[in-house]
Amino acid sequence: MDAAGEAIGSRQYQRLGGHCKAPQQQEEKNKQTARNRPGGFDIEAHWDATLYFPRMPSPSQRTGLLVHVIEDDEDIRAETVFALGELGFDTEGFGDAPSFYKAFAVQPCDIAVVDIGLPGESGLAVVSHLRAVQRRLGLVLVTARGELEDRLLGLREGADAYLVKPVNMLELAETLNAVGRRLTVASQGNAATAPPALAAWRLLEGDWILGDPEGRQMALTTSERAFLGCLFGQRGTAASRDDLIRALGGDVFDFDEHRIDAIASRLRRKAAKLGMRLPLHSVRGKGYVLAI
């Protein structure tokens, strides 16, 4: 690498905030990781310094697509986020489903790149849920599971594409571009021909009825109404357990918090029986968020 290349690498390393080392150091670290991970992700094949230190795209070369990467392996997540950023995408990374849902509620992404083997809620469950609540969203599964049955299941659950690790970042980038083009065409077609869409998730009839985007409705009890009313009032951010306790008319210093979890569980079961996919998620150490 010449002096100019080294300077570029140094600046990009600083932008990463230490997530990625200088090229030679990172390559050796990745090789050691691959040797210590039998049967796992071939990170040595994945590593390509030309993908980590390309020329930064000019503003006119940016794709305009916001991509969320959901991957529990910190090294792979940091490398993927960095490489896609250098290839023109606006990219954020998340280590599990709850952290992704919280960010998605604030600003939905255009495309989600999802690993299947996530802690807690699996990547397949994430894809299935997102496809149910958000039709105009690109979903790409990236996983080490390469059997035909796994690929077919991922596509049936709603993924637009299924890539098997190790994945070349240029291939991933072209996949994202292709999905982005399909989303643009579909959006333009729907705008021209589709009737006015129903509102998203909403509370009706004095907040005693919960309606979903497909027009299904569910009657609420007094406690369920108060619980959902609090979440709707803070849509985009997680409602803390204290907020939910107050909404239920309780005392934060003398309240059985298991009641909150029981209400959430009951709402999910009722919604599922009606064919409604309620985007209600717990946020570790915080409370609950309604990803709408």
Side-chain angles (χ1 to χ4, degrees):
M1 181 182 293
D2 58 19
E6 291 177 353
I8 293 173
S10 176
R11 289 195 298 273
Q12 293 175 337
Y13 169 62
Q14 291 171 0
R15 279 205 309 275
L16 257 185
H19 283 298
C20 184
K21 299 181 182 298
Q24 297 88 346
Q25 295 172 303
Q26 182 67 48
E27 183 172 11
E28 182 57 36
K29 178 179 182 292
N30 290 341
K31 290 179 179 179
Q32 183 62 42
T33 301
R35 287 193 291 268
N36 294 337
R37 190 180 295 174
F41 180 63
D42 185 359
I43 205 163
E44 182 172 358
H46 175 74
W47 170 257
D48 182 348
T50 63
L51 295 180
Y52 282 85
F53 298 96
R55 291 184 179 275
M56 188 69 170
S58 67
S60 62
Q61 294 174 315
R62 305 297 292 178
T63 66
L65 293 171
L66 174 59
V67 178
H68 284 175
V69 177
I70 315 169
E71 165 65 63
D72 62 317
D73 186 298
E74 184 177 359
D75 287 336
I76 296 174
R77 183 172 69 249
E79 291 164 2
T80 303
V81 167
F82 183 78
L84 291 179
E86 296 301 294
L87 291 167
F89 299 89
D90 297 321
T91 316
E92 295 182 42
F94 306 91
D96 54 27
S99 60
F100 161 73
Y101 286 135
K102 185 176 180 180
F104 188 82
V106 176
Q107 183 180 14
C109 59
D110 299 300
I111 305 175
V113 177
V114 188
D115 175 42
I116 288 182
L118 297 173
E121 186 174 357
S122 74
L124 283 175
V126 171
V127 166
S128 177
H129 166 69
L130 290 174
R131 180 58 69 219
V133 301
Q134 180 60 271
R135 301 291 181 181
R136 298 177 188 176
L137 173 67
L139 296 169
V140 177
L141 281 168
V142 177
T143 174
R145 302 180 187 181
E147 297 297 326
L148 176 61
E149 293 79 4
D150 293 317
R151 300 198 302 274
L152 293 177
L153 178 59
L155 295 173
R156 288 173 186 145
E157 290 296 329
D160 296 292
Y162 189 111
L163 301 179
V164 179
K165 296 177 181 178
V167 178
N168 183 282
M169 290 294 102
L170 292 176
E171 180 184 7
L172 177 57
E174 288 306 318
T175 300
L176 297 177
N177 282 324
V179 172
R181 287 193 294 270
R182 292 201 297 270
L183 291 174
T184 300
V185 171
S187 177
Q188 292 172 345
N190 289 337
T193 62
L198 289 171
W201 289 88
R202 60 212 183 277
L203 292 173
L204 307 168
E205 299 185 21
D207 296 349
W208 288 103
I209 300 290
L210 175 67
D212 74 358
E214 281 72 42
R216 291 179 287 260
Q217 297 184 357
M218 180 175 73
L220 303 175
T221 66
T222 301
S223 59
E224 292 166 351
R225 175 177 179 266
F227 181 90
L228 287 176
C230 180
L231 294 179
F232 270 90
Q234 299 190 35
R235 70 173 69 194
T237 60
S240 69
R241 287 181 174 270
D242 285 356
D243 290 334
L244 292 167
I245 290 170
R246 295 188 186 96
L248 292 167
D251 182 348
V252 296
F253 298 106
D254 184 22
F255 190 90
D256 182 2
E257 293 192 12
H258 291 98
R259 281 188 57 198
I260 296 174
D261 301 317
I263 293 171
S265 179
R266 186 170 68 243
L267 282 167
R268 291 191 183 108
R269 289 197 304 272
K270 287 176 60 175
K273 288 181 179 178
L274 295 172
M276 304 166 73
R277 291 177 178 266
L278 183 64
L280 173 62
H281 305 285
S282 61
V283 179
R284 185 180 303 174
K286 180 68 173 177
Y288 285 87
V289 64
L290 202 58
I292 57 176

